[in-house]
Amino acid sequence: MGTVVLDGVGKSFDGVWACSQVDLTIEKGEFFTFLGPSGCGKTTLLRLIAGFITPQSGAVYIDGHDVTHLPPEKRNVGMVFQNYSLFPYLNVRQNIEYGLTIQKKSARERKDIASLYMDMVGLADFGERKISELSGGEQQRVALARSLAVEPEVLLLDEPLSNLDARLRDKMRAEIKALQKRLGITTIFVTHDQTEALTLSDRIAVFDKGRVVQVGTPHQVYDTPRNVLVAKFVGDTNIFSATLDNGTARLENGMSHGAESGPESRLELRVPSAENGTCHLSIRPQNIRLSHTPVNEPNSFKVRLVERQLNGLWIDTIVQVGEITLRVAELNTVSLAAGPEPQPGDTLWATLPETAIRLLYE
Ligand code: ATP
């Protein structure tokens, strides 16, 4: 129970498609994330699944039943909204009991179930509190408990962490994940935050302009992005236009090829493809290695250090070769610490391992 299928779903507002031709199957018990930039149709899709709006095309199935035209209360779906949408005139317990009243549960059942879920989200003693007396994180928990109390087949979470400060967000992220695994409830989570998507999800669908661009596990989406948008949106990366020629990618770096010709005049990299033509080349900052001394390896070349910044765990370094700028992220261990701390203007050697290079064709 709890499988969600979107079959060619599309929704337009005033003639403009907010999402279109969306085909997705979300398996029972999965933590599935809709990830994409603002305005790409994620919330619209969530509202279509919840039943607050109906699509112009396609169908929504829950557990094999076509629910496309069923009202929200007939779908057995719980939703936590971005702004929580709690009832300010009801206290915590009454908010959590609200859906149970609609389900016509007895007063005794409502009390027991509300107590169970208040306990589960760490609000056992908050029953009599007004909503206005709660912090953002506590309100978020009430919203979660209210959605879970009706024991839905599917839980829909619309950016539930976006209103919380960074520390609370990390805490709630861990709590949501633990709760979801414990209950085994199919969960669809909407976010534009790549860290949330990567840390929480079993699978991620990346959206752009209302369309699904890629579906995969966090590793699949991060390690083998399908196109430039996914590579840039899911994690930091260096992206270049390149011309491929039998296993070599040529990155034009703006330096003249004549009198100055030499290893720095243009960048040629060995790449994992024998195709010819143009493409984009992507390499993650943490996959580039820096050295004080020349490295006798393929794809190693001289660079000039532009900027170096310590971020605690990481050291972020900007280097340049010709007009090509590379961002490098090194774990703050001993790699370069063994030598003197490099300064802007210093010469270093960068290595771009062939296996870490991704070629993107759109
Ligand atoms: P965000 O991350 O900013 O919440 P989103 O990816 O969830 O964005 P949606 O809220 O689904 O995006 O909106 C998709 C598009 O549909 C946007 O261009 C938005 O302006 C439009 N849209 C959404 N709801 C309506 C509506 N009720 N009436 C008109 N246009 C709408």
Side-chain angles (χ1 to χ4, degrees):
M1 300 285 270
T3 309
V4 178
V5 174
L6 304 176
D7 181 12
V9 169
K11 174 72 185 172
S12 70
F13 296 103
D14 306 323
V16 180
W17 291 95
C19 58
S20 63
Q21 294 173 23
V22 176
D23 294 311
L24 284 173
T25 298
I26 295 130
E27 303 292 350
K28 173 186 160 30
E30 221 179 356
F31 198 115
F32 194 97
T33 296
F34 295 167
L35 175 68
S38 184
C40 70
K42 310 178 296 288
T43 298
T44 300
L45 214 47
L46 214 59
R47 294 174 68 218
L48 282 163
I49 298 169
F52 297 116
I53 49 177
T54 46
Q56 265 91 358
S57 61
V60 180
Y61 298 88
I62 297 179
D63 288 330
H65 301 296
D66 185 345
V67 299
T68 317
H69 299 284
L70 283 187
E73 63 275 13
K74 298 249 169 79
R75 295 192 181 199
N76 211 0
V77 161
M79 183 153 172
V80 175
F81 298 88
Q82 196 170 359
N83 60 3
Y84 315 141
S85 297
L86 297 171
F87 303 118
Y89 51 89
L90 302 180
N91 66 24
V92 169
R93 175 177 288 283
Q94 289 163 336
N95 262 278
I96 296 171
E97 285 190 13
Y98 182 82
L100 303 169
T101 309
I102 291 176
Q103 286 183 340
K104 300 198 176 6
K105 299 265 195 241
S106 70
R108 180 79 244 165
E109 282 177 303
R110 291 202 304 269
K111 189 162 182 288
D112 290 348
I113 295 171
S115 298
L116 176 74
Y117 285 94
M118 281 195 295
D119 198 30
M120 204 178 278
V121 298
L123 293 178
D125 301 325
F126 283 65
E128 306 313 313
R129 284 267 196 109
K130 290 185 195 155
I131 298 304
S132 59
E133 294 169 349
L134 300 177
S135 71
E138 287 158 358
Q139 289 186 30
Q140 206 269 356
R141 285 174 214 205
V142 177
L144 197 56
R146 186 179 65 177
S147 306
L148 290 171
V150 294
E151 301 192 334
E153 299 289 350
V154 181
L155 180 64
L156 306 175
L157 303 172
D158 188 5
E159 306 212 31
L161 307 177
S162 61
N163 292 331
L164 307 178
D165 68 45
R167 271 188 58 199
L168 194 53
R169 204 157 52 223
D170 287 352
K171 186 169 180 305
M172 288 308 300
R173 195 162 65 202
E175 286 183 17
I176 286 177
K177 178 146 187 168
L179 199 57
Q180 192 269 342
K181 286 288 163 236
R182 189 168 135 206
L183 298 174
I185 185 170
T186 308
T187 301
I188 305 177
F189 183 86
V190 160
T191 185
H192 56 256
D193 183 316
Q194 43 143 325
T195 309
E196 282 177 11
L198 291 172
T199 51
L200 282 169
S201 316
D202 293 315
R203 284 191 303 153
I204 299 170
V206 185
F207 284 80
D208 181 33
K209 301 188 189 83
R211 301 275 186 115
V212 177
V213 183
Q214 184 168 2
V215 180
T217 63
H219 267 294
Q220 286 167 341
V221 171
Y222 185 83
D223 295 335
T224 52
R226 176 163 293 166
N227 65 13
V228 172
L229 177 122
V230 178
K232 280 182 174 170
F233 198 75
V234 186
D236 288 327
T237 195
N238 295 283
I239 296 241
F240 308 101
S241 303
T243 307
L244 297 181
D245 185 5
N246 290 320
T248 300
R250 189 166 302 122
L251 280 61
E252 300 302 336
N253 64 2
M255 293 181 73
S256 77
H257 293 195
E260 285 188 64
S261 73
E264 289 181 46
S265 63
R266 66 186 172 189
L267 202 49
E268 289 192 343
L269 299 174
R270 220 157 80 179
V271 292
S273 165
E275 287 189 32
N276 295 331
T278 56
C279 69
H280 284 92
L281 184 151
S282 164
I283 184 159
R284 303 280 185 198
Q286 72 273 23
N287 290 328
I288 301 176
R289 293 199 312 270
L290 291 177
S291 161
H292 280 291
T293 51
V295 179
N296 187 20
E297 275 183 50
N299 296 349
S300 296
F301 47 89
K302 209 162 33 163
V303 294
R304 188 175 58 84
L305 191 144
V306 177
E307 199 183 323
R308 196 161 157 82
Q309 184 176 306
L310 173 66
N311 286 336
L313 184 61
W314 293 96
I315 299 175
D316 282 317
T317 307
I318 305 292
V319 296
Q320 254 184 337
V321 48
E323 290 183 357
I324 288 181
T325 302
L326 290 167
R327 190 175 152 236
V328 185
E330 295 168 288
L331 208 49
N332 182 20
T333 52
V334 287
S335 59
L336 271 172
E341 179 61 21
Q343 302 297 320
D346 282 1
T347 295
L348 298 172
W349 278 261
T351 305
L352 278 59
E354 184 179 345
T355 50
I357 290 174
R358 299 286 173 268
L359 301 176
L360 308 168
Y361 295 91
E362 50 181 281

